[in-house]
Amino acid sequence: MTLQDEFGLAYSGATEAGLSSYARAVHELQCFIGDPVGSIDRAIADAPAFVMAHVFKGYLFGLATERDATAVARSSHQAALPLAATAREQAHVAALGHLADGRWHDAARILEDIAIDNPRDALALQVGHQIDFFTGNARMLRDRIGRALPAWQKGMPGYHAILGMQAFGLEEMGDYARAESFGRQAVEIEPRDGWAQHAVAHVMEMQSRQRDGIAWMRVNSDAWSKDSFLKIHNWWHLALFHYDLGETDEVLRLYDGPIYGDRSTLVLNMVDASAILWRLTLGGVDVGDRWSALAANWIPKAAAGNYAFNDAHAMMAFVGAGLEAPAKTLLEAQREAMRGGDDNAAFTRDVGHPLTLAIKAFGEGNHDEAVRLIRPIRSIAHRFGGSHAQRDVIDLTLIEAALRAGDSGLARALTAERQLARPDSPLSALFSRRAFDLSEN
């Protein structure tokens, strides 16, 4: 059976009940709430030949950046391959195959073409947007959605998500005023849209509007945190505002509560935990035994070697906890990854491996080596994914390494650079004072 949704898109093998569960899964993914895996499993159970339900499930697991999840993405691809499908659906199946095999860029290109022909294919836009994020492709974060935007209008199901994605793409391209406007519109339409909420937080982070950011995140935190699988990342954004203000007690309170109070073993959540603890450690804050608990959850992932961005954050935890054995395992996994044929080989070779080595060197007190390793990768760091806000930890590590190495010339240069980019940041001012004091001694 082939059914159509409200946008006229055909769904092969679907039933009315299956398509209803599929639509629910789309909404949950667009807001980052609920249980889209459960919803799509119900769609598959109701309609085993529903090809896009299998593809959707594969996308969910393929975007998890975890080795075990990738195996589920592959099995979903295999389930979808023999099923009847339209040309659009066949393209989705092909995109999933590339994603499951680690060919992120190939998947992104196919999804781009799907959306060009079908600009109201919400799943093609959403998955493509996420891939653009994981590959650090700021221009496509903006343009993939911008191309489709004329086909959408207020009142259409999921319109808020289109605005929210456009907001994030605009922010990553430095178009802050329009990014904030789009993001606020999206949240006004759908207060539970965690991605749009986070897009506005990104704007305020990049503009060093710490108090605005705190107010934005606090005003209706139940809307974006209740039953949300993006909530830890959004709490992390709130912690960043407090961190920049030097309010480390509040940062630790957030860490011990909504950020990592439940000690999640999901990599995407552990990345945020590592990122905030590393920032605190760079600032000389005593984080107690928090590194040990986090590192224990990273240890089973040390040999994964499937996404370089994760590797760098795992190394932060191993360094913080003083664990040599898993650090060595991780580095060996990276060396093996660089011999592979997927996109992560380049992610690791270009950025991930030198950065991970630099983090280890920093932890060993070899600050000159950390500086040497980080300087060449700063301008290409987007190649291994993440946002400007997430990759800022690279600059923070470099500045701190230069200061601790006693390299007054580089420290002055880096802090002047940061002061220009973030003139209203108390952290920028602190770095500048430290660099000045170093040059005076």
Side-chain angles (χ1 to χ4, degrees), residues 121-184:
D121 187 329
L123 187 63
L125 293 169
Q126 183 100 18
V127 175
H129 186 72
Q130 290 300 311
I131 292 175
D132 293 336
F133 167 71
F134 285 118
T135 57
N137 191 339
R139 179 162 181 174
M140 280 304 293
L141 277 167
R142 180 193 66 186
D143 294 347
R144 181 185 302 273
I145 309 304
R147 295 169 178 178
L149 191 59
W152 291 79
Q153 60 188 25
K154 193 170 184 178
M156 288 181 173
Y159 178 61
H160 66 90
I162 306 304
L163 294 177
M165 289 187 288
Q166 186 69 86
F168 185 58
L170 289 166
E171 178 277 321
E172 288 296 287
M173 287 297 289
D175 192 345
Y176 298 131
R178 287 203 300 167
E180 183 170 351
S181 175
F182 274 86
R184 286 182 179 274

Side-chain angles (χ1 to χ4, degrees), residues 97-299:
H98 286 305
L99 179 62
D101 286 337
R103 295 187 296 271
W104 295 80
H105 297 301
D106 289 340
R109 176 56 63 84
I110 292 174
L111 288 162
E112 178 186 349
D113 290 342
I114 294 172
I116 287 171
D117 293 336
N118 306 273
R120 293 179 182 172
D121 187 329
L123 187 63
L125 293 169
Q126 183 100 18
V127 175
H129 186 72
Q130 290 300 311
I131 292 175
D132 293 336
F133 167 71
F134 285 118
T135 57
N137 191 339
R139 179 162 181 174
M140 280 304 293
L141 277 167
R142 180 193 66 186
D143 294 347
R144 181 185 302 273
I145 309 304
R147 295 169 178 178
L149 191 59
W152 291 79
Q153 60 188 25
K154 193 170 184 178
M156 288 181 173
Y159 178 61
H160 66 90
I162 306 304
L163 294 177
M165 289 187 288
Q166 186 69 86
F168 185 58
L170 289 166
E171 178 277 321
E172 288 296 287
M173 287 297 289
D175 192 345
Y176 298 131
R178 287 203 300 167
E180 183 170 351
S181 175
F182 274 86
R184 286 182 179 274
Q185 289 176 60
V187 172
E188 184 177 348
I189 294 169
E190 175 51 84
R192 301 205 67 196
D193 187 332
W195 192 256
Q197 177 78 27
H198 123 287
V200 176
H202 270 273
V203 170
M204 294 170 176
E205 164 68 18
M206 296 305 295
Q207 294 182 322
S208 297
R209 293 163 54 196
Q210 299 86 8
R211 297 299 179 194
D212 287 348
I214 292 168
W216 170 249
M217 300 306 289
R218 294 280 191 190
V219 68
N220 193 13
S221 60
D222 284 349
W224 56 257
S225 65
K226 184 179 178 182
D227 196 26
S228 168
F229 47 93
L230 193 65
K231 64 182 178 182
I232 288 176
H233 187 65
N234 274 332
W235 285 117
W236 177 81
H237 273 284
L238 176 59
L240 285 190
F241 294 125
H242 288 290
Y243 167 77
D244 205 358
L245 293 171
E247 298 170 351
T248 56
D249 287 346
E250 181 61 17
V251 175
L252 288 171
R253 191 193 70 77
L254 288 166
Y255 181 90
D256 292 337
I259 293 176
Y260 209 62
D262 66 355
R263 298 187 177 182
S264 171
T265 57
L266 293 177
V267 165
L268 295 177
N269 296 335
M270 289 158 59
V271 162
D272 288 332
S274 285
I276 202 66
L277 283 190
W278 186 253
R279 282 167 169 80
L280 291 169
T281 299
L282 291 174
V285 177
D286 182 1
V287 300
D289 63 355
R290 293 175 179 86
W291 275 126
S292 297
L294 177 57
N297 286 342
W298 272 116
I299 287 174

